[in-house]
Amino acid sequence: PATCRSWLIASLQAVSSPRARREAPSAMTAIAVPGRKLLPDGTPPPILIDRMRVALRLCQEVPDFKLLVLSGGKMPMNADEAARISASAEAAGELPPDSEAEAMRRLALSLGLEPSTEVLLETTALHTVENAVNVRRMLEARGDLRKLAVVTSSFHMPRVRRTFELIFEGSPLALEFVDSPDAGLTAAEREREDVVEPAMLDRLPPQARLYRRYFAGEVSLEEARRRFFHGDRPHSDVWLIPLADIERVID
């Protein structure tokens, strides 16, 4: 990760050279952090804390840093879980975050993010492909950014890199990727991710095709999600859906 960060910073310093500033004086860099499912009490898991620490370091080191983008919605909870969290939050005097993005914003401030830093919250994405689509749409609408550095955990990086590359194809924004430590994974989480991540990479090409159609306005978000999850209810077991079934409903 340190080597990757050094390479990124050198690359971004080249972009911010005097010649580059003359050619595109308003071109700046955004740093994006995709979320991860929150703990039952609404707090970020250790793996997400590690991502944020790396992102905050980059915010200080990248010379033309402009914007921190925190991306992640929230999977629906069952009634018992929602009631338990609400009761706990009421006792603590603070409502639980309504999205992964909001949880990350609170975390960033607690870790020392300068309050004056511009932060953009993307609060609706339910999975990695939606992270990429929504971030692209929000950043391109601004028009003042040239590069996007995406920070995620090492185990998650192959899928994040390929997802953003597929979704940002044709975008004027250049992409860079920086991984954060994944030592915060429990043994059970690592065992699961060793199976889930390769399976999701296999399923990514048709999923990306579907969401590029959504990005182009050819299908609605509701329809894209229905096809992605193979039903009306979001869930975390998409990796178990046979690839042939995914291909069948995408186009």
Side-chain angles (χ1 to χ4, degrees):
T3 302
C4 187
R5 285 197 300 273
S6 299
W7 171 80
L8 169 66
I9 293 164
S11 172
L12 297 182
Q13 284 173 335
V15 171
S16 63
S17 67
R19 178 179 178 183
R21 285 197 296 269
R22 286 196 300 271
E23 293 172 352
S26 62
M28 304 291 281
T29 295
I31 295 170
V33 186
R36 183 168 172 87
K37 186 176 180 179
L38 303 177
L39 297 177
D41 64 355
T43 58
I47 201 75
L48 193 52
I49 295 173
D50 287 338
R51 287 182 199 175
M52 189 57 62
R53 285 192 174 119
V54 171
L56 295 186
R57 192 177 308 125
L58 286 176
C59 291
Q60 296 176 335
E61 294 175 351
V62 172
D64 60 354
F65 166 70
K66 170 71 173 178
L67 174 72
L68 177 62
V69 186
L70 306 176
S71 175
K74 197 172 186 180
M75 283 287 194
M77 295 181 292
N78 61 48
D80 290 344
E81 185 179 23
R84 183 175 68 253
I85 292 175
S86 296
S88 174
E90 185 176 350
E94 182 180 37
L95 291 174
D98 58 7
S99 65
E100 293 171 8
E102 172 59 23
M104 288 191 286
R105 185 191 70 82
R106 297 182 189 182
L107 171 63
L109 290 171
S110 73
L111 292 176
L113 177 70
E114 288 291 335
S116 60
T117 302
E118 185 176 3
V119 179
L120 183 64
L121 300 185
E122 186 290 298
T123 62
T124 64
L126 296 184
H127 51 78
T128 302
V129 185
E130 287 188 7
N131 288 140
V133 170
N134 295 348
V135 169
R136 175 177 178 177
R137 179 168 285 148
M138 295 170 81
L139 296 188
E140 289 186 358
R142 291 175 57 101
D144 62 344
L145 298 161
R146 177 167 178 170
K147 285 204 172 191
L148 172 64
V150 185
V151 178
T152 196
S153 312
S154 296
F155 77 89
H156 194 215
M157 182 57 78
R159 179 155 64 101
V160 164
R161 177 187 290 271
R162 189 63 185 135
T163 299
F164 275 75
E165 288 172 345
L166 288 170
I167 295 300
F168 275 72
E169 185 176 342
S171 172
L173 288 162
L175 296 175
E176 309 284 2
F177 300 90
V178 181
D179 51 354
S180 61
D182 56 18
L185 287 176
T186 65
E189 287 174 331
R190 188 173 298 279
E191 183 177 2
R192 174 182 167 84
E193 298 300 350
D194 285 346
V195 177
V196 170
E197 287 299 311
M200 289 301 289
L201 263 174
D202 289 343
R203 288 154 178 75
L204 178 57
Q207 293 169 345
R209 291 202 311 272
L210 169 64
Y211 272 87
R212 284 186 66 88
R213 292 183 62 199
Y214 161 62
F215 182 78
E218 298 173 5
V219 298
S220 68
L221 177 59
E222 292 75 15
E223 181 63 17
R225 285 180 172 173
R226 188 184 67 79
R227 297 186 191 186
F228 182 91
F229 292 110
H230 275 235
D232 296 327
R233 185 174 177 80
H235 59 87
S236 57
D237 289 329
V238 174
W239 65 282
L240 292 172
I241 302 172
L243 180 56
D245 291 350
I246 293 175
E247 291 278 6
R248 178 174 52 81
V249 303
I250 291 303
D251 302 316

